[in-house]
Amino acid sequence: MAWILRAILGAGSAALLYLAWPVAAGALEAQKADSVVFELRTRQPLKLPAVLAALQALDRAVEADPVAGRRLKRAELLAGAALAANLPVSSEQRTAWLKKAESDLEFGLTNDPARGIAWAQLASVRQALYGASAKVVAALLMSIETAPMLNTLWPPRLQLILDNWRFFTPEERERIVSHVAATWRLSSDRRWFADAIHSPIDELFLRHALADDQNAWDELQKLIMNAKKK
């Protein structure tokens, strides 16, 4: 009986090693992209050779272990590289990267939907690919629902809201106005509200969102005037 038990344990260990190897291999490959992803997140200039090497490593990581987290990480770098103006790549390459990022984000969010940052990334990718649309709004609303108070996300969110306002339903507009007003109240530095204004309609939206606070109107006007002086 002892040898049977040892054989079973040996078979179990071999099976565990077989199952665990793709996860370990994927993690090792994904780590090779960490430095470039860090540069992207800290807004440092990206270098094309390093970006290409990092994307190749993430491709191998996804091939070894195609889970949501791996594809979301690759999507982040793909989108960041596609939208980095300093990288010397063609518009066709940028579009290809954005489409691959969209596919990764859709897969990753289907399997792990509680990721407000990734939903915001999907909204930005769709905006870059197709322009303002209901598809951008759908991803943007999911970002707000899953991470409503993540302040660092609100400057890009506000820009997407203003660009896509006509695609919101009346009910969605009410929700958005409420969120924008709450974000204003919770923000210690509100200059980014004025930075998002690029047209009289943008300003009208913000004044509407802050309609219940006369002091907010006055502060917004000062912020707009200061932004124009830059």
Side-chain angles (χ1 to χ4, degrees):
M1 293 297 295
W3 73 266
I4 296 176
L5 180 59
R6 288 196 295 271
I8 292 172
L9 290 173
S13 298
L16 182 61
L17 180 62
Y18 176 80
L19 293 172
W21 171 246
V23 177
L28 288 172
E29 291 294 343
Q31 286 177 1
K32 296 177 183 178
D34 284 350
S35 61
V36 179
V37 173
F38 176 78
E39 290 172 356
L40 173 65
R41 291 175 178 174
T42 54
R43 300 184 180 181
Q44 299 179 47
L46 299 178
K47 298 177 179 62
L48 185 58
V51 167
L52 294 176
L55 288 175
Q56 289 174 356
L58 288 172
D59 286 344
R60 293 191 294 270
V62 170
E63 184 178 0
D65 187 25
V67 294
R70 297 273 185 268
R71 295 192 66 171
L72 290 174
K73 184 175 182 178
R74 182 172 68 177
E76 181 181 1
L77 184 54
L78 284 165
L83 299 175
N86 70 300
L87 289 181
V89 295
S90 66
S91 58
E92 291 80 9
Q93 179 64 77
R94 294 180 189 277
T95 299
W97 280 345
L98 285 170
K99 288 183 176 179
K100 191 172 182 179
E102 181 185 31
S103 176
D104 278 349
L105 284 162
E106 289 175 345
F107 175 90
L109 288 166
T110 297
N111 291 276
D112 190 2
R115 292 190 179 233
I117 294 175
W119 281 112
Q121 290 170 348
L122 180 57
S124 296
V125 166
R126 287 176 173 174
Q127 174 90 359
L129 280 172
Y130 314 116
S133 69
K135 292 181 68 174
V136 176
V137 167
L140 181 57
L141 289 172
M142 285 298 298
S143 175
I144 294 170
E145 291 298 322
T146 52
M149 293 293 110
L150 191 55
N151 287 342
T152 54
L153 274 182
W154 271 101
R157 277 176 180 166
L158 181 58
Q159 193 62 66
L160 289 168
I161 288 168
L162 295 173
D163 290 346
N164 292 272
W165 185 243
R166 67 186 184 277
F167 293 101
F168 289 89
T169 66
E171 294 78 12
E172 290 168 347
R173 290 180 179 182
E174 290 183 11
R175 288 162 52 199
I176 289 296
V177 165
S178 177
H179 280 298
V180 171
T183 304
W184 172 276
R185 291 192 298 270
L186 294 171
S187 297
S188 57
D189 183 352
R190 296 165 174 151
R191 288 174 293 180
W192 57 272
F193 283 86
D195 293 337
I197 296 174
H198 300 292
S199 72
I201 294 177
D202 294 344
E203 183 177 347
L204 183 63
F205 165 79
L206 283 176
R207 290 191 179 278
H208 171 62
L210 305 175
D212 294 334
D213 186 347
Q214 182 60 47
N215 292 330
W217 278 34
D218 295 339
E219 183 177 349
L220 179 62
Q221 185 60 41
K222 291 178 183 178
L223 291 171
I224 293 171
M225 296 303 295
N226 290 334
K228 289 180 178 178
K229 293 176 183 178
K230 293 180 181 179

